Amino acid sequence: MKRKNLTLALLAVCIGMAGCASSEDKQSAEEYTLRNTLGKHFLIGAAINPGQATGKDSLVEQIVRTNFNSVVAEGCMKMRAIHPEPGKYDFKDADSFMAFAERNDQIVIGHTLIWNSMLPDWFYKDDKGNDVSPDVLKERMREHISTVVGRYKGKIKGWDVVNEALNDDGTYRDCPFYRILGEEYIPLAFMYAHEADPGMELYYNDFNLNIEAKRNTVLKIVDDLRCRGIEVSAIGMQCHLWRGWPTVESVEKAIVDFKEHGLKVMITELDLSALPTRDDKIGANVNAKFEYGEDIDPYRDGLPDEVAEKWNDRMFSFFKMFLRHDDVITRVTTWGVTDDASWRNGWPIKGRTDYPLLFGRDRKPKPVVDSIIKTVLALEKINGELN
Ligand code: GLA
């Protein structure tokens, strides 16, 4: 048995014996954090919104500083926010986010350069409201990418260059970029990004990559870029999870497939809804909307213990799987910090009370955080004994 497999097998036994690392094993509170344990296996990140970046909520900032070693901007670097009008950039929130990362000693990931959503109309339309020509769109893409990447050059480890370009069946999503430039818009975006900062990592980011057809098109895009001399540094798997979908196994299969293709993987937007839904295959399709009903908002006054336990178990299963693949996973980022500020309270149904993140409305870590830390410490102990 290979050393890593043996370690993992021992770990599985250890995890099975609930709470294998006793409280005496807990290191000082300072060290007993996600950042100091899990952060040794891959970057552990969180998406930050502009309010959090101001630092006015010192408790949230403290949670982020102690538990996460990487951050991504939840919205302020998207095109409509940062480049709202032709020739006019608004870097206020993005600069404040960068300052947050600097004072908390965090590695920054850029999100996102080319995406069909949060895309201002002016970007692809002319004065008469018609689509611009391919050449005009190319020039606008190049200018946008070089300006935004250029401003933070050397301070951002890598960018989600293209976000959500594909449908679940592996076809290209109908969007202005595709309509005007066809499939070519993706390699162009990667080339412009590479040109803007040749030292920066370049990611393709999408949801539902556990679906084989969708994944296969990503692999084709990667191969095409390789032929043009550009290496995709990692595939971002968003992982906005539902209670019953996708399975851990199907996400694991995708990670293994990417690894076999010589790729690194990042879990880029992790959250897990605790609520029932009308359709759990929608991944993170921001256009999906369903009508509110009390039947699908059942936990307005708090999560019953039994549901919370299932939520913790499912989240823990994903983290155990991520740890099994820490040779290929380079980052796991949660899409937000505390439940109250999660986008899942408003999507795909407005006005619900959801519980998708690692920290609750009370700002306390959920039990899964303790389980993850214990697991990592147990793993270190076993490794220490084997060495
Ligand atoms: C997608 C995008 C993110 C974010 C989420 C919802 O996953 O990549 O930027 O908009 O949807 O918040």
Side-chain angles (χ1 to χ4, degrees):
M1 196 187 264
K2 285 212 190 100
R3 168 63 68 89
K4 178 152 185 178
N5 288 345
L6 174 65
T7 309
L8 289 170
L10 287 170
L11 180 66
V13 173
C14 185
I15 291 167
M17 299 160 20
C20 59
S22 71
S23 53
E24 297 97 73
D25 291 335
K26 279 192 186 177
Q27 301 167 345
S28 70
E30 180 73 357
E31 287 170 359
Y32 198 79
T33 66
L34 290 175
R35 181 173 187 152
N36 287 325
T37 53
L38 194 60
K40 292 182 193 160
H41 291 257
F42 34 68
L43 290 176
I44 173 79
I48 304 297
N49 67 36
Q52 293 161 342
T54 62
K56 282 191 191 128
D57 190 337
S58 55
L59 189 47
V60 164
E61 183 152 343
Q62 193 202 335
I63 293 174
V64 179
R65 179 171 51 249
T66 46
N67 285 283
F68 301 95
N69 54 16
S70 164
V71 283
V72 60
E74 187 171 347
C76 68
M77 288 181 166
K78 291 172 180 168
M79 198 185 279
R80 191 182 293 153
I82 210 165
H83 196 177
E85 289 170 38
K88 188 176 160 234
Y89 286 87
D90 180 354
F91 291 116
K92 194 170 134 286
D93 287 343
D95 286 353
S96 150
F97 161 75
M98 294 301 290
F100 176 101
E102 198 174 342
R103 68 178 178 265
N104 293 304
D105 189 22
Q106 273 142 345
I107 290 174
V108 183
I109 305 297
H111 175 82
T112 174
L113 296 171
I114 296 295
W115 185 28
N116 61 81
S117 183
M118 287 294 283
L119 171 66
D121 287 356
W122 71 262
F123 199 82
Y124 61 92
K125 291 199 162 159
D126 63 19
D127 295 344
K128 296 192 184 91
N130 299 319
D131 280 355
V132 293
S133 68
D135 282 346
V136 170
L137 186 60
K138 280 189 214 169
E139 191 39 45
R140 287 183 186 174
M141 284 171 61
R142 186 198 284 265
E143 195 274 334
H144 173 81
I145 292 174
S146 77
T147 306
V148 177
V149 170
R151 183 170 181 95
Y152 302 112
K153 194 168 177 173
K155 295 184 179 157
I156 289 193
K157 184 179 170 67
W159 274 91
D160 291 333
V161 179
V162 177
N163 196 34
E164 302 179 351
L166 303 175
N167 297 312
D168 285 354
D169 64 2
T171 56
Y172 282 69
R173 189 191 275 260
D174 181 23
C175 73
F177 297 110
Y178 182 65
R179 199 167 61 228
I180 299 170
L181 292 168
E183 296 178 7
E184 190 64 11
Y185 88 87
I186 297 181
L188 283 171
F190 276 85
M191 286 190 284
Y192 298 152
H194 181 62
E195 210 174 80
D197 181 357
M200 170 183 95
E201 294 194 351
L202 311 168
Y203 316 128
Y204 175 77
N205 193 49
D206 215 326
F207 60 84
N208 285 357
L209 293 179
N210 54 302
I211 296 176
E212 197 178 351
K214 192 165 188 174
R215 190 159 76 239
N216 285 341
T217 307
V218 173
L219 294 177
K220 280 194 195 125
I221 292 170
V222 166
D223 289 343
D224 175 53
L225 280 162
R226 279 181 178 158
C227 289
R228 299 170 194 238
I230 293 194
E231 189 60 28
V232 177
S233 319
I235 301 301
M237 298 180 65
Q238 293 185 0
C239 288
H240 294 289
L241 310 171
W242 295 97
R243 298 201 302 197
W245 199 88
T247 61
V248 176
E249 293 73 26
S250 70
V251 175
E252 182 166 25
K253 167 89 175 69
I255 293 169
V256 171
D257 276 5
F258 287 133
K259 176 182 170 171
E260 285 172 355
H261 215 79
L263 288 159
K264 297 286 185 207
V265 171
M266 293 180 157
I267 307 299
T268 51
E269 304 185 15
L270 180 68
D271 52 23
L272 165 57
S273 177
L275 303 181
T277 183
R278 302 269 188 247
D279 176 3
D280 61 9
K281 311 281 185 304
I282 54 175
N285 181 357
V286 287
N287 301 319
K289 282 186 185 58
F290 301 106
E291 245 177 61
Y292 182 87
E294 293 203 345
D295 59 320
I296 43 174
D297 187 21
Y299 311 128
R300 293 182 293 279
D301 300 326
L303 213 50
D305 289 350
E306 181 205 343
V307 182
E309 209 175 298
K310 279 196 183 137
W311 185 96
N312 276 284
D313 285 352
R314 179 156 160 79
M315 189 56 112
F316 188 35
S317 303
F318 272 93
F319 271 97
K320 282 186 284 184
M321 186 270 281
F322 299 153
L323 275 167
R324 285 201 290 279
H325 295 286
D326 66 353
D327 56 331
V328 56
I329 294 177
T330 54
R331 173 170 61 99
V332 175
T333 291
T334 60
W335 203 246
V337 185
T338 53
D339 284 342
D340 52 309
S342 167
W343 75 298
R344 298 202 73 160
N345 294 302
W347 174 89
I349 297 151
K350 280 214 174 100
R352 296 200 299 173
T353 305
D354 206 345
Y355 303 82
L357 294 166
L358 299 181
F359 293 82
R361 284 177 172 70
D362 58 3
R363 311 294 168 93
K364 296 210 174 89
K366 296 187 184 168
V368 67
V369 173
D370 194 50
S371 306
I372 295 166
I373 294 174
K374 275 186 180 145
T375 302
V376 174
L377 293 176
L379 193 55
E380 279 173 12
K381 204 167 162 201
I382 293 170
N383 273 327
E385 279 161 16
L386 290 176
N387 286 324

